[in-house]
């Protein structure tokens, strides 16, 4: 199987590829500045007015980080969370009109009321109190069905689209991967809902017998990165099993193949599904990695704070190798990748562009950090 670098070189003439890499090497790497530390396995960050941040910690806490880096007390009023394994309190997003309505959305692993061993990804809406001490008017607006006895593959990235709808990525819970191909459940799906949790009329499976109306696309494995692209569409990436991490632009009603087709293989070796990478009726990824980088977090840089050359780049964190991947795109294809912050070797869980046009990352550690990348 060809490496990513080989695929990249094949995508453009060799001379152009060399010129791209040489030019990029001349751009100084940004300087990491620790904004806050002492966060326990932080998972998601969103931005609040006044230069503040709202950060989740996977064990089940949410905190406001002040503009000077002071970490606030654990916010009260959160629902019961099934923290353990890969589960816990995961992504968080401030509403686009937060300054007026103080609304936030967050997703988490929710325990089954009748079986404490079972759980599923849930999406909640609430208002953050003016003093940041608690959340109020909590409402669970979406629950993944069915709940499963598993501690893995919750997915759980939230994206608000320009039309006000919300996308939520959902893992296939590892032990139920075949369900990613079925439309009567939410496992291995991307769902699209309104801010009240209803299925919008434009969803592809609304009114289709045997299909859940919230489903937008299916055949996904476990997505921990999603964002709005410069094309106005949803972009996401998902973990492969052992190789085969993918970047996709999920379109309405499309099947992205898992676990029938994949560029990965079983842990320890051996084929998955049909042991093939292509099949009619199943979409190919925009890009894939072999070996896996274990991607998490995803953001397009729309500012010119780091210079014109970096504007428009896609940034993705690597949990496995502990670097930030800057990805160059042209005509909808990946043309080059650049590893940043390699010297730190910290698991990067989230990456976002802030209102100031700078990039912020979270490191997934027991003493996790919120880091701002400063132009050199």
């Amino acid at each position: 199987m060809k490496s990513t670098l080989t695929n990249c070189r094949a995508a453009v003439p060799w001379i152009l590829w060399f010129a791209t890499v040489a030019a990029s090497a001349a751009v100084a790497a940004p300087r990491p500045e620790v904004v806050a530390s002492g966060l326990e396995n932080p998972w998601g960050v969103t931005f609040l007015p006044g230069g503040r941040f709202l950060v989740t910690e996977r064990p089940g806490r949410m905190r406001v980080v002040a503009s000077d880096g002071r970490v606030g007390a654990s916010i009260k009023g959160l629902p019961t969370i099934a923290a353990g394994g890969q589960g816990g309190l995961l992504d968080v997003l401030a509403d686009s009109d937060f300054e007026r309505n103080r609304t936030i959305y967050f997703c988490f692993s929710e325990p089954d009321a009748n079986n404490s061993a079972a759980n599923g990804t849930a999406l909640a809406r609430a208002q953050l109190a003016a003093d940041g001490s608690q959340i109020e008017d909590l409402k669970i607006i979406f629950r993944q069905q069915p709940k499963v006895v598993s501690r893995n593959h919750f997915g759980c990235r939230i994206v608000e689209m320009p039309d006000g709808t919300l996308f939520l990525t959902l893992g296939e819970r590892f032990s139920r991967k075949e369900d990613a191909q079925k439309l009567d459940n939410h496992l291995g799906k991307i769902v699209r809902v309104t801010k009240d949790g209803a299925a919008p009329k434009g969803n592809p499976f609304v009114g289709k017998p045997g299909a859940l109306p919230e489903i937008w696309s299916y055949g996904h494995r476990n997505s921990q990165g999603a964002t709005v692209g410069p094309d106005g569409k949803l972009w996401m990436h998902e973990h492969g099993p052992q190789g085969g991490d993918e970047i996709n632009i999920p379109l309405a009603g499309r099947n992205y193949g898992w676990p029938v087709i994949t560029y990965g293989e079983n842990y320890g070796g051996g084929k998955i599904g049909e042991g093939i990478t292509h099949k009619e009726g199943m979409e190919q990824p925009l890009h894939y990695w072999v070996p896996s980088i274990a991607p998490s977090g995803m953001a397009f840089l729309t500012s010119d704070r780091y210079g014109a050359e970096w504007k428009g780049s896609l940034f993705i964190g690597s949990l496995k190798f502990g670097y930030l991947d800057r990805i160059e795109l042209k005509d909808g294809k990946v043309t080059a990748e650049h590893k940043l912050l390699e010297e730190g070797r910290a698991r990067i869980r989230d990456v976002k562009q802030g209102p100031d046009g700078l990039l912020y990352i979270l490191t997934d550690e027991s003493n996790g950090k919120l880091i701002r990348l400063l132009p050199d």
Side-chain angles (χ1 to χ4, degrees):
M1 186 175 292
K2 295 182 179 180
S3 69
T4 304
L5 184 58
T6 302
N7 290 339
C8 180
R9 292 189 183 199
V12 294
W14 187 86
I15 293 176
L16 178 58
W17 179 86
F18 182 84
T20 300
V21 172
S24 297
V27 178
R31 292 179 289 112
E33 175 189 58
V34 176
V35 176
S37 59
L39 298 163
E40 186 177 0
N41 300 108
W43 213 95
V45 59
T46 192
F47 304 96
L48 301 177
R52 297 174 301 149
F53 311 84
L54 188 61
V55 178
T56 58
E57 295 173 303
R58 193 174 70 238
R61 293 181 294 273
M62 186 183 296
R63 303 182 188 274
V64 173
V65 176
S67 59
D68 63 2
R70 288 179 294 114
V71 178
S74 181
I75 292 172
K76 298 177 181 178
L78 293 172
T80 302
I81 296 169
Q86 296 174 358
L89 182 57
L90 304 174
D91 204 15
V92 62
L93 178 70
D95 187 86
S96 57
D97 199 17
F98 177 86
E99 291 196 58
R100 184 186 63 83
N101 60 29
R102 305 196 63 81
T103 296
I104 63 169
Y105 309 94
F106 60 93
C107 55
F108 64 102
S109 49
E110 181 186 45
D112 190 311
N114 300 312
N115 179 1
S116 61
N119 48 58
T121 301
L123 176 62
R125 184 188 72 211
Q127 278 70 52
L128 181 65
D131 63 1
S133 65
Q134 63 183 345
I135 59 171
E136 303 164 339
D137 301 322
L138 173 71
K139 181 180 180 182
I140 309 299
I141 61 173
F142 172 84
R143 289 182 165 97
Q144 183 183 36
Q145 297 297 332
K147 285 184 164 57
V148 176
V149 178
S150 174
R151 291 156 57 92
N152 300 315
H153 293 194
F154 292 90
C156 210
R157 287 294 178 192
I158 312 164
V159 175
E160 181 182 353
M161 298 303 286
D163 65 0
T165 59
L166 301 173
F167 278 111
L168 175 66
T169 68
L170 299 170
E172 30 71 289
R173 309 307 316 282
F174 188 72
S175 60
R176 298 283 293 269
K177 62 180 182 293
E178 289 79 12
D179 282 335
Q181 287 294 314
K182 302 172 184 176
L183 297 175
D184 63 352
N185 66 81
H186 294 126
L187 308 182
K189 310 298 192 297
I190 293 176
V191 295
R192 175 175 174 254
V193 297
T194 68
K195 292 178 179 180
D196 291 323
K201 293 181 179 179
N203 277 10
F205 299 107
V206 169
K208 301 289 180 66
L212 297 181
E214 299 89 1
I215 295 173
W216 177 261
S217 59
Y218 63 109
H220 299 289
R221 187 171 184 261
N222 185 31
S223 173
Q224 295 179 351
T227 190
V228 181
D231 54 5
K233 296 178 181 178
L234 178 71
W235 288 54
M236 55 83 76
H237 61 63
E238 54 193 285
H239 289 268
Q242 184 170 279
D245 301 338
E246 298 181 356
I247 298 175
N248 285 301
I249 306 174
L251 302 178
R254 301 290 180 87
N255 180 354
Y256 288 81
W258 178 257
V260 179
I261 61 172
T262 178
Y263 286 89
E265 62 180 17
N266 268 315
Y267 297 107
K271 73 176 186 178
I272 293 175
E274 297 185 10
I276 56 177
T277 58
H278 292 66
K279 187 170 184 177
E280 186 176 355
M282 295 182 179
E283 304 300 315
Q284 281 295 295
L286 174 78
H287 184 68
Y288 65 91
W289 289 273
V290 175
S292 292
I293 68 168
S296 191
M298 190 178 201
F300 277 98
L301 181 67
T302 62
S303 80
D304 58 3
R305 294 295 304 272
Y306 305 94
E309 187 173 346
W310 281 31
K311 187 175 182 178
S313 293
L314 178 63
F315 290 82
I316 293 174
S318 168
L319 293 165
K320 181 176 180 180
F321 297 116
Y323 64 78
L324 181 64
D325 195 9
R326 182 175 78 86
I327 299 172
E328 294 185 56
L329 297 148
K330 185 176 181 180
D331 299 327
K333 296 184 179 181
V334 171
T335 58
E337 296 182 64
H338 309 274
K339 298 176 183 177
L340 308 174
L341 308 180
E342 284 189 281
E343 67 282 356
R345 290 295 179 189
R347 286 167 54 87
I348 295 179
R349 174 60 71 182
D350 200 10
V351 54
K352 298 276 177 62
Q353 177 180 297
D356 55 7
L358 297 177
L359 292 170
Y360 292 80
I361 63 174
L362 287 177
T363 64
D364 183 8
E365 306 165 283
S366 57
N367 179 21
K369 298 174 179 62
L370 172 63
I371 296 173
R372 176 190 293 121
L373 301 186
L374 298 174
D376 196 28

